[in-house]
Amino acid sequence: ASDGDNWNDDSPKCRELLESAILPLTRYFAYIQVAEPEQNLWTEYMQLIESHPHFAMKKVQSAAEIYPVFRELYEKQVHA
């Protein structure tokens, strides 16, 4: 979970690192942003959603919402 506040020049580097070094090694990766409005890191990470089905993103309005969102993101999937 992050506030998403990042230097504009760093956000593309974070996205590239996530895409090239982290996502290939993980079965599932979730990013939660605790901030409104959207921050530049959110905008960068949105570029990865369609091409990486094991990457999830959620936003929360306050820190109190983080735990329920974690439960939602990591709930057990029932496969038929």
Side-chain angles (χ1 to χ4, degrees), residues 37-54:
E38 294 175 0
Q39 300 293 321
N40 57 19
L41 193 56
W42 178 271
T43 304
E44 285 293 326
Y45 284 179
M46 281 298 296
Q47 297 176 41
L48 303 176
I49 289 293
E50 288 192 28
S51 59
H52 295 84
H54 64 294

Side-chain angles (χ1 to χ4, degrees), residues 63-74:
E65 294 177 74
I66 293 173
Y67 182 70
V69 168
F70 268 116
R71 274 190 295 163
E72 177 185 339
L73 287 168
Y74 291 98

